[in-house]
């Protein structure tokens, strides 16, 4: 069999806008809109502003837009936009089995390159699709080995997807694309230690993946070489980064089954596996009308990986966004949750008290169908009785919600008429002659 990088290179280079169905095109555009909303929603966060300040200091040719700011070299624009895209933890998730957030890496890389190259909407859509199809397959192949070895999949496999998308925009041939994958793989990184420390490094992983993907594609276009055995080699990505992996998933149904259709949107700004217990907790509270002070005990049954997140009291917003006990406590105290609650309520004494009353455990029944299904078992005991709910899998998010989510996230920076205009342009992106026409609406 050919080396996997050569199979991917042939696929990316030969992928045409006309190849996928209209359903695939529409889903790809909605992931673009969702990611742009996340970027706008994270713009004012301190970690976003720190990265933007560094980008400003670096200056350089004004090729691409840092959303909400100005124009900079495409590499640093990808860095800033990628960091913001992952900056509030409301970005999309990959096709199962997976652990990465593809949009926050692929969209900033493709968009920065698309602006610099002044490509049309169809070419941007095709590049995004290429990034999702390659990146999601690498994510699945390395699952769950990346997490088992302490790597954050977004930073690792996101670099590969970003290189595919940027390389498609930059017009790489097959040989150059092979080199781009090799150069992306040698830069792939991101440690999961943030889970415990609650620091800012997680936000940077997507930004660096986007930046490194663009860098890999630019270097490959110049003739810079990388290892063609970057995936399967003795010291390739799978062997070095993943304790367990399945190389068959790399190319399974490539060109036949579009992984972007199985990627998920998030309803809340937190770890995707925390969205179901939050939703169930709010539903139980709505049905039975209890107050936080009425709760005596909470039990949350999840898959064994998510159940490892055992903190009951958050020291930073990132803890609140990734540890089930804290996230559910915030939802019950606030009676609702979307984004700001994770950043403002995690130190509320009522949240701390509920977190301490919560047990998070690995449920054997849920684990038996994981990761093909993401199940949740919730039990809340109050002074009035015990209430429980079980969900076998998460319901899909309708496109109408993605538009509402974009409007909500972008409203702090943009007026309503611009928000509606951006939604309309993205929905008709295939008609756009120059991607920069979309960028005009971001300021």
């Amino acid at each position: 069999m050919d080396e996997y990088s050569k199979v991917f290179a042939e696929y990316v280079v030969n992928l045409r806008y006309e190849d996928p169905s209209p359903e695939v095109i529409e889903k790809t555009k909605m992931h673009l809109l969702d990611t742009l909303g996340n970027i706008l929603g994270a713009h004012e966060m301190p970690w976003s502003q720190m990265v933007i300040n560094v980008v400003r200091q670096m200056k350089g040719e004004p090729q691409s837009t840092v959303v909400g700011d100005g124009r900079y070299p495409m590499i640093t624009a990808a860095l800033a936009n990628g960091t913001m895209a992952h900056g509030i933890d409301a970005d999309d998730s990959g096709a199962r089995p997976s652990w990465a957030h593809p949009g926050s890496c692929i969209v900033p890389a493709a968009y920065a390159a698309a602006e610099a190259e002044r490509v049309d909407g169809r070419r941007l859509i095709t590049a995004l699709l290429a990034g999702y199809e390659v990146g999601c397959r690498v994510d699945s192949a390395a699952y769950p080995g990346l997490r088992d070895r302490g790597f954050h999949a977004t930073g690792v496999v996101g670099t590969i997807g970003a290189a595919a998308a940027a390389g498609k925009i930059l017009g790489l041939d097959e040989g150059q694309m092979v080199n781009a994958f090799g150069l992306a793989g040698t830069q792939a990184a991101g440690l999961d230690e943030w889970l415990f420390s609650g620091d800012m490094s997680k936000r940077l992983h997507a930004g660096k993946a986007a930046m490194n993907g663009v860098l890999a594609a630019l270097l490959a276009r110049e003739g810079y070489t990388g290892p063609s055995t970057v995936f399967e080699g003795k010291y390739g990505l799978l062997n070095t980064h993943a304790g367990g992996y399945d190389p068959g998933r790399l190319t399974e149904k490539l060109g036949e089954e579009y992984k972007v259709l199985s990627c998920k949107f998030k309803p809340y700004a937190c770890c995707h596996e925390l969205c179901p217990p939050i939703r169930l907790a709010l539903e139980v509270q709505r049905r039975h009308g209890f107050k936080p002070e009425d709760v005596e005990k909470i039990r949350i049954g999840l898959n064994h990986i998510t159940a490892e997140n055992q903190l009951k009291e958050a020291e930073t917003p990132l803890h609140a966004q990734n540890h089930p006990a804290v996230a559910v406590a915030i939802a019950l105290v606030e009676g609702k949750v979307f984004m700001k609650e994770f950043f403002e309520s995690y130190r509320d004494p009522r949240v701390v008290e509920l977190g301490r009353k919560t047990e998070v455990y690995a449920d054997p029944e849920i684990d038996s169908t994981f990761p093909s299904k993401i199940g949740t078992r919730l039990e809340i005991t109050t002074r009035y009785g015990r209430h429980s709910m079980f969900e076998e899998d998460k319901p899909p998010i309708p496109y109408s919600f993605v538009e509402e989510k974009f409007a909500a996230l972008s409203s702090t920076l943009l007026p309503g008429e611009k928000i509606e205009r951006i939604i309309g342009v993205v929905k008709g992106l295939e008609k756009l002659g120059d991607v920069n026409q979309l960028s005009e609406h971001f300021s």
Side-chain angles (χ1 to χ4, degrees):
M1 179 181 174
D2 285 343
E3 292 156 347
Y4 289 106
S5 64
K6 293 180 180 178
V7 176
F8 282 148
E10 180 182 6
Y11 173 76
V12 171
V13 169
N14 293 303
L15 180 65
R16 302 177 304 154
Y17 173 82
E18 295 79 13
D19 292 340
S21 67
E23 179 187 17
V24 173
I25 297 296
E26 290 306 306
K27 186 72 170 10
T28 304
K29 291 190 293 184
M30 295 311 294
H31 282 280
L32 169 62
L33 183 66
D34 186 67
T35 305
L36 291 175
N38 279 284
I39 293 171
L40 288 161
H43 184 271
E44 299 305 305
M45 293 295 176
W47 40 87
S48 300
Q49 288 299 309
M50 291 174 193
V51 173
I52 291 173
N53 285 339
V54 170
V55 168
R56 288 172 180 156
Q57 293 168 36
M58 297 172 73
K59 301 178 182 178
E61 185 179 350
Q63 297 175 309
S64 309
T65 303
V66 171
V67 175
D69 195 78
R71 293 180 74 92
Y72 301 91
M74 73 172 89
I75 287 181
T76 51
L79 171 66
N81 290 335
T83 302
M84 289 190 286
H86 199 47
I88 54 172
D89 252 320
D91 44 333
D92 62 17
S93 294
R96 299 174 193 161
S98 67
W99 212 256
H101 301 280
S104 53
C105 309
I106 294 163
V107 170
Y111 199 85
E115 284 186 291
E117 296 291 303
R118 308 197 73 87
V119 305
D120 62 23
R122 289 191 171 202
R123 190 161 165 189
L124 174 59
I125 293 169
T126 310
L128 292 173
L129 182 58
Y132 272 88
E133 296 312 304
V134 172
C136 286
R137 281 176 167 78
V138 178
D139 188 11
S140 292
Y143 183 91
L146 286 176
R147 174 65 180 270
D148 291 343
R149 284 196 174 172
F151 287 105
H152 184 203
T154 300
V156 176
V157 304
T159 309
I160 305 298
K168 183 67 173 176
I169 293 289
L170 295 174
L172 304 190
D173 62 29
E174 289 184 27
Q176 292 169 328
M177 193 69 76
V178 168
N179 286 324
F181 287 133
L183 295 169
T186 203
Q187 299 180 84
L191 302 177
D192 261 341
E193 189 61 20
W194 57 267
L195 268 170
F196 310 105
S197 61
D199 63 89
M200 300 179 185
S201 62
K202 179 179 190 281
R203 323 286 188 182
L204 184 64
H205 292 168
K208 281 289 278 140
M211 175 182 176
N212 291 342
V214 172
L215 176 61
L218 285 170
L219 287 172
R221 190 167 68 171
E222 293 295 317
Y224 209 104
T225 59
S228 61
T229 52
V230 64
F231 298 112
E232 72 278 11
K234 179 179 179 180
Y235 299 123
L237 196 64
L238 294 178
N239 280 315
T240 57
H241 285 56
Y245 58 88
D246 183 353
R249 293 175 183 164
L250 288 171
T251 54
E252 183 180 17
K253 296 184 179 179
L254 181 64
E256 302 172 23
E257 179 184 281
Y258 289 92
K259 295 293 185 181
V260 72
L261 291 177
S262 299
C263 291
K264 309 293 183 182
F265 300 112
K266 284 187 191 175
Y268 314 122
C270 63
C271 171
H272 211 138
E273 273 62 46
L274 271 57
C275 294
I278 288 173
R279 187 177 63 254
L280 296 187
L282 291 172
E283 177 61 21
V284 171
Q285 188 179 50
R286 185 191 66 79
R287 289 183 186 181
H288 301 283
F290 57 82
K291 298 177 181 178
E293 55 265 31
D294 297 327
V295 175
E296 296 177 349
K297 185 177 182 180
I298 302 171
R299 299 185 77 237
I300 307 172
L302 301 165
N303 63 76
H304 72 281
I305 293 180
T306 308
E308 291 177 355
N309 298 0
Q310 285 285 329
L311 285 185
K312 298 179 184 296
E313 183 174 348
E315 296 179 5
T316 72
L318 199 62
H319 283 152
Q321 293 175 293
N322 288 276
H323 290 269
V326 183
V328 167
I330 289 172
L332 291 175
V333 166
E334 295 292 338
K336 62 180 178 64
V337 67
F338 177 54
M339 182 188 78
K340 68 182 182 67
E341 294 82 6
F342 294 106
F343 298 92
E344 298 177 357
S345 303
Y346 65 95
R347 285 179 173 159
D348 187 314
R350 296 170 297 170
V351 170
V352 174
E353 183 179 359
L354 279 183
R356 290 171 178 169
K357 293 178 179 179
T358 301
E359 176 193 355
V360 177
Y361 66 97
D363 185 291
E365 181 182 353
I366 290 170
D367 244 1
S368 68
T369 60
F370 177 77
S372 60
K373 294 181 179 179
I374 306 296
T376 303
R377 193 183 305 278
L378 178 72
E379 184 181 286
I380 300 178
T381 302
T382 73
R383 65 179 71 180
Y384 308 112
R386 186 169 61 188
H387 314 292
S388 61
M389 289 188 74
F390 174 76
E391 180 179 81
E392 186 177 35
D393 203 6
K394 297 177 287 188
I397 301 294
Y399 289 177
S400 59
F401 176 81
V402 177
E403 294 179 24
E404 293 170 10
K405 177 182 171 184
F406 175 83
L409 291 175
S410 58
S411 61
T412 57
L413 284 183
L414 301 177
E417 61 270 18
K418 281 197 173 184
I419 292 171
E420 290 301 317
R421 209 169 296 139
I422 291 171
I423 292 173
V425 172
V426 172
K427 290 174 73 173
L429 187 62
E430 64 276 7
K431 303 172 187 175
L432 207 63
D434 183 343
V435 170
N436 287 278
Q437 294 172 280
L438 172 58
S439 307
E440 294 169 0
H441 303 301
F442 291 143
S443 58

